Amino acid sequence: MPFDLSKESIEGYAKVFDGVYTVVEYHRPGYSDDMPRLSNRGFVFEMDTKKSGKHLIMSGIPGVECIAKVQAIEKDTGLELKKIITSGDFHHMAMKDWFHLSLPASVRQLDAYPNVHFVQSSLKFPNTRNGEALLANENYKARIELVEGPEIPSLKEEYGDILDFWGFNQFLTYDDKQATFSAKDSKTPIKLVRQEIEVTDSLNFPTHFPTKEMVIEHNFDMFLSKAQVNAAGAFMTRLMSKTNQFKSNACAPMFPCAPSDLESCKKHCEQMQHVLSWDVTSIMDYHCELGTHIRNYASKEAYVKDMTKVLEKTGEHDASGEALYAIKNKKRSGCTIS
């Protein structure tokens, strides 16, 4: 049984399964009106482990608008949020909201969540402006666990019977060394680096075993409705002419995308085999429309067949990496390392 998304709302939170909740805000990537308005989710799970007892964890890291929604879940369940597994790419910028660093010092109160620990990719975050600021504070640094992926041992050890977090670490994206993720300072030099891990997609894929639900991220193209595309600017509308498409970004001409050297292609495709091993019957992502699943399947076999078909277009189905390498170098996409 997949997550029941019928009651998802931008107001409050939604219970989508026993012990599973979503909190959602809207945002436009880069604060650009040309970009489509996306849902930005956090998935909140009730957990009971030997190490930490009964508590809440959240996969994904939406912005400040969702803090009150998570606090409402805490109040209604009587459980405390103890861990946030962030979703990679530029989403680490929202971390400061949960530290309340986004507020002026003159009005800053105690942290919204003074006891929460974060699991965050180590590949890019420490060298960004935001990462440097957070890690310079010893108190905050002590609460951030930096991981490289693809497997995240601390999460597997404590939550592996309920959730599998898988962090792809070979995809490429912009260098956001100077990015502040704000409306007035969103342009950065284009320089390729390895993308940080998102616990859902190009970085962070969480799979929830009881529901067989997989949440994907920027490895795959944004799953946009017609309404979302029509509401975007003319330039973006031309780029995103197709709606409701389930497509890998590995060979995309823009970022994020897969690497072009054979060794990195092989590592990425080996990591993708793990995703093909999951018993999945539903797929969604952090950003699709409220109430939307990307795919529903009758069985694991149907999922593997469809996912393999999707990955064959980019060569990611081949664990050797040779098919992806051949396609990448034949297309001569913009995702080459200089």
Side-chain angles (χ1 to χ4, degrees):
M1 177 183 295
F3 291 161
D4 178 5
L5 304 177
S6 62
K7 296 182 180 179
E8 269 202 316
S9 170
I10 200 69
E11 305 294 337
Y13 67 84
K15 183 175 181 177
V16 298
F17 188 73
D18 187 25
V20 184
Y21 312 86
T22 62
V23 293
V24 190
E25 65 172 358
Y26 286 138
H27 79 137
R28 292 181 184 269
Y31 294 89
S32 170
D33 290 339
D34 280 336
M35 296 296 289
R37 187 183 73 173
L38 305 178
S39 301
N40 192 26
R41 287 180 178 82
F43 294 86
V44 180
F45 301 92
E46 293 184 26
M47 306 302 294
D48 188 359
T49 67
K50 292 182 180 179
K51 179 180 179 180
S52 305
K54 293 184 178 181
H55 63 286
L56 302 173
I57 66 173
M58 182 168 70
S59 179
I61 185 164
V64 66
E65 293 181 12
C66 285
I67 290 178
K69 300 172 188 178
V70 173
Q71 290 172 334
I73 297 174
E74 288 184 306
K75 180 180 178 181
D76 292 344
T77 62
L79 301 176
E80 180 183 7
L81 180 70
K82 290 189 176 182
K83 188 166 292 184
I84 296 175
I85 301 96
T86 74
S87 45
D89 203 7
F90 291 95
H91 291 283
H92 64 79
M93 299 307 304
M95 196 184 297
K96 63 182 182 297
D97 292 330
W98 297 81
F99 280 124
H100 271 196
L101 289 181
S102 58
L103 299 176
S106 59
V107 298
R108 188 179 303 156
Q109 304 298 317
L110 294 175
D111 288 346
Y113 283 98
N115 299 317
V116 164
H117 283 72
F118 298 81
V119 179
Q120 167 65 44
S121 168
S122 65
L123 299 181
K124 185 176 64 172
F125 167 75
N127 297 317
T128 64
R129 182 186 299 180
N130 181 60
E132 289 177 348
L134 288 174
L135 295 173
N137 182 309
E138 291 300 321
N139 176 46
Y140 297 140
K141 181 179 180 180
R143 293 164 54 191
I144 300 173
E145 178 187 356
L146 297 175
V147 297
E148 183 172 338
E151 191 170 77
I152 305 171
S154 63
L155 298 180
K156 185 177 180 64
E157 179 182 356
E158 187 164 10
Y159 307 115
D161 57 335
I162 301 295
L163 291 161
D164 190 358
F165 292 97
W166 194 248
F168 288 93
N169 58 14
Q170 297 301 311
F171 256 45
L172 304 172
T173 191
Y174 296 110
D175 177 4
D176 61 352
K177 171 70 175 177
Q178 300 301 319
T180 60
F181 208 51
S182 69
K184 61 183 179 180
D185 186 13
S186 61
K187 295 182 178 179
T188 63
I190 298 175
K191 177 183 176 183
L192 286 178
V193 296
R194 287 186 177 178
Q195 190 176 27
E196 58 184 308
I197 58 176
E198 272 179 20
V199 193
T200 8
D201 174 25
S202 30
L203 311 198
N204 165 27
F205 278 59
T207 295
H208 184 241
F209 296 140
T211 58
K212 302 182 180 181
E213 183 91 43
M214 178 171 70
V215 185
I216 63 174
E217 247 284 356
H218 295 159
N219 282 33
F220 290 83
D221 203 3
M222 289 183 287
F223 190 78
L224 299 173
S225 69
K226 185 175 182 179
Q228 285 176 302
V229 172
N230 289 342
F235 174 68
M236 294 308 299
T237 300
R238 290 194 296 273
L239 286 179
M240 301 175 179
S241 58
K242 294 183 179 180
T243 61
N244 299 331
Q245 62 179 348
F246 183 33
K247 184 181 76 171
S248 171
N249 275 327
C251 296
M254 298 178 67
F255 312 107
C257 63
S260 296
D261 65 284
L262 181 57
E263 181 181 357
S264 296
C265 285
K266 181 179 180 180
K267 288 181 180 179
H268 172 71
C269 292
E270 287 175 345
Q271 293 168 10
M272 188 59 75
Q273 298 307 302
H274 183 73
V275 173
L276 287 170
S277 74
W278 283 328
D279 185 3
V280 168
T281 55
S282 295
I283 300 175
M284 63 180 301
D285 68 27
Y286 289 101
H287 303 305
C288 54
E289 285 261 59
L290 296 178
T292 299
H293 277 100
I294 294 174
R295 288 286 192 275
N296 286 302
Y297 302 102
S299 64
K300 174 184 177 180
E301 290 73 22
Y303 154 70
V304 172
K305 181 179 180 180
D306 185 51
M307 179 62 86
T308 300
K309 184 178 179 181
V310 170
L311 297 178
E312 283 175 346
K313 296 178 180 179
T314 54
E316 292 171 277
H317 67 296
D318 175 13
S320 73
E322 292 182 4
L324 173 60
Y325 175 76
I327 293 173
K328 288 289 295 185
N329 286 280
K330 179 180 178 181
K331 287 192 173 185
R332 297 289 182 183
S333 77
C335 298
T336 55
I337 300 175
S338 58

